[in-house]
Amino acid sequence: VRAARLLLRSAAAELCDQPVLIVTQTANHASLRVAERLGFAVVDTFEQWGAEQTLAAAQLHTFRAGDWR
């Protein structure tokens, strides 16, 4: 989680605000927990590759230094 936070913070410092998207299998509970800890919110679920997938999103600006939860 720490490495992901640092990467997202670095991206937020360099890029314009935009959505950051994560797609993972819904059955991958560990990945969903990491996404939640990072502040991503589930947007939708869908079927692909024979399994349910979860789409989650967060706005890049929420990861700027000083804005971090």
Side-chain angles (χ1 to χ4, degrees):
V1 173
R2 180 165 160 67
R5 282 184 183 155
L6 291 173
L7 176 66
L8 289 163
R9 183 177 289 162
S10 178
E14 298 294 325
L15 301 172
C16 297
D17 189 31
Q18 56 192 298
V20 181
L21 305 176
I22 292 176
V23 176
T24 188
Q25 283 194 4
T26 304
N28 188 339
H29 301 290
S31 288
L32 290 173
R33 280 192 304 272
V34 168
E36 183 180 353
R37 286 179 64 191
L38 290 169
F40 286 81
V42 173
V43 175
D44 201 3
T45 59
F46 58 94
E47 287 287 324
Q48 192 170 24
W49 300 299
E52 184 177 79
Q53 310 294 318
T54 296
L55 170 66
Q59 285 300 124
L60 187 58
H61 78 270
T62 63
F63 300 103
R64 289 191 185 129
D67 290 349
W68 192 250
R69 306 160 206 54

